[in-house]
Amino acid sequence: MPARYPYDDAPATEQTFRHLAVTRAGRERDALREELVEAWLPMARRLAGRFRHKGESMEDLVQVAALGLIKAVERYDPDRGAFACYAVPTITGELRRHFRDHSWDVHVPRRVQELRNRVRSVRQDLMNRPDHPAEPDLEEIAAQAGLTLPEVHHGMEAWDRNSSLSLDADTAQHGDGFTLADTLGQTDPGYDLATDREAAREGLARLSERERRILYLRFFEEMPQSQIAEEIGVSQMHVSRLILRSCARVREYSRAGEPHSPAPGRRSGRPCATDSTPPHTKDPGTVPTPRGATKTRP
């Protein structure tokens, strides 16, 4: 009496499976496995067709189903019943796993996905009843599914959230090319500027009046060093050294918050180039030149 199969597209491959089970790895085993996969591939295509309305192409679904079929052929034990009874849940599980892990643009916890599927299934069952209104309420869905209202809310929120919108998509309330990206804010550079100013405040306060004036003329008035030298009455090289030293001191205070230690050999009673009054000045109208000579300001 010929064997009966639960599916119309289930070929008679019992003997091939038993031959595969006793065949060691090699070319013969690979040929037997390929023969079995080709024989059962129509059933895999049929199972993939059940998921064709969920946003994936049929070609991709057939590939996923074929992968599940290969796993079923490898793991099947002929002594545990018909192959179709083992292959169908294996292929279906592979398809569902594909939708769970790869069809969501944003990763969603598995619990939320299960709630979504449960709520959708119960809602569809209630709507298919002839004596039921078109749209069941949340309390009825919760009672029918055995879920709480918060769980139903989570499932409803994830209903159509497996795909995301592009930032270039037009918004519904604007018809003039206003995209979703236009609604996103940008980082205000003023925050970083305020932070930098606060960090430099202590260091600037510890500089001499002349050093602060040089930094102001250079970085706020954007004056060249040669013009600053004429304004202050020193050489351009000296202005460059003062700028470098002043910036280093401000940076040191902003990082450590500790006072700048004087240079070795310098004492508090000796004048330095950072003092507000130039050294060796006989009267307020004269300032030193780079070679130590004096020059009277006009």
Side-chain angles (χ1 to χ4, degrees):
M1 182 178 180
R4 299 180 60 184
Y5 303 101
Y7 304 98
D8 296 336
D9 50 7
T13 54
E14 290 86 353
Q15 296 300 324
T16 307
F17 271 113
R18 295 191 178 277
H19 189 189
L20 178 68
V22 297
T23 303
R24 295 182 178 181
R27 294 184 179 179
E28 183 180 2
R29 180 178 178 84
D30 294 341
L32 291 173
R33 182 178 57 185
E34 182 177 353
E35 177 184 348
L36 291 170
V37 170
E38 291 179 356
W40 288 92
L41 196 56
M43 186 187 69
R45 293 194 182 97
R46 174 173 58 84
L47 295 176
R50 298 179 181 179
F51 300 85
R52 63 182 179 274
H53 299 302
K54 292 189 175 184
E56 290 285 336
S57 65
M58 190 61 188
E59 181 180 356
D60 292 340
L61 294 177
V62 171
Q63 290 182 3
V64 175
L67 178 61
L69 175 61
I70 294 175
K71 293 180 179 180
V73 171
E74 286 286 351
R75 302 169 184 174
Y76 173 62
D77 185 358
D79 297 330
R80 292 183 175 271
F83 174 73
C85 298
Y86 176 76
V88 170
T90 302
I91 298 173
T92 305
E94 191 71 24
L95 289 165
R96 290 175 177 173
R97 186 160 45 251
H98 169 77
F99 280 99
R100 185 192 69 198
D101 299 337
H102 302 288
S103 64
W104 292 77
D105 293 340
V106 180
H107 177 72
V108 178
R110 183 176 181 180
R111 172 61 176 166
V112 176
Q113 297 184 28
E114 293 175 349
L115 289 175
R116 167 181 174 268
N117 296 333
R118 179 62 175 164
V119 170
R120 180 172 57 182
S121 177
V122 171
R123 175 180 174 274
Q124 189 66 32
D125 292 341
L126 292 175
M127 293 180 62
N128 289 336
R129 294 181 181 179
D131 56 344
H132 194 276
E135 184 66 34
D137 54 23
L138 298 182
E139 290 78 6
E140 191 172 4
I141 294 177
Q144 184 70 19
L147 303 173
T148 63
L149 283 178
E151 290 176 335
V152 175
H153 278 292
H154 283 307
M156 296 291 288
E157 290 175 355
W159 195 285
D160 295 323
R161 300 297 189 268
N162 59 328
S163 60
S164 60
L165 286 176
S166 172
L167 292 177
D168 296 330
D170 293 336
T171 55
Q173 62 269 24
H174 297 84
D176 54 354
F178 195 79
T179 63
L180 187 61
D182 296 328
T183 64
L184 303 179
Q186 297 179 352
T187 302
D188 190 347
Y191 289 112
D192 294 335
L193 181 59
T195 302
D196 295 340
R197 285 179 174 177
E198 189 64 27
R201 183 187 300 274
E202 178 68 19
L204 291 173
R206 293 177 178 269
L207 296 179
S208 66
E209 182 179 353
R210 185 175 67 165
E211 289 172 330
R212 289 197 298 268
R213 177 166 175 76
I214 291 175
L215 293 182
Y216 175 80
L217 294 176
R218 181 68 184 94
F219 297 107
F220 288 86
E221 297 294 335
E222 298 183 354
M223 291 176 58
Q225 294 183 10
S226 58
Q227 188 174 352
I228 297 175
E230 294 179 2
E231 179 76 17
I232 301 300
V234 296
S235 68
Q236 179 179 347
M237 184 178 299
H238 192 52
V239 170
S240 177
R241 288 197 298 265
L242 288 176
I243 292 176
L244 291 176
R245 184 170 58 187
S246 300
C247 291
R249 292 179 62 187
V250 172
R251 190 180 300 111
E252 180 181 353
Y253 280 117
S254 64
R255 290 178 178 176
E258 299 177 356
H260 178 71
S261 59
R266 174 172 294 173
R267 299 180 182 177
S268 58
R270 297 176 58 187
C272 64
T274 59
D275 294 336
S276 58
T277 303
H280 309 293
T281 303
K282 296 182 180 180
D283 58 78
T286 59
V287 293
T289 62
R291 296 182 178 276
T294 59
K295 179 178 66 175
T296 303
R297 291 182 178 176

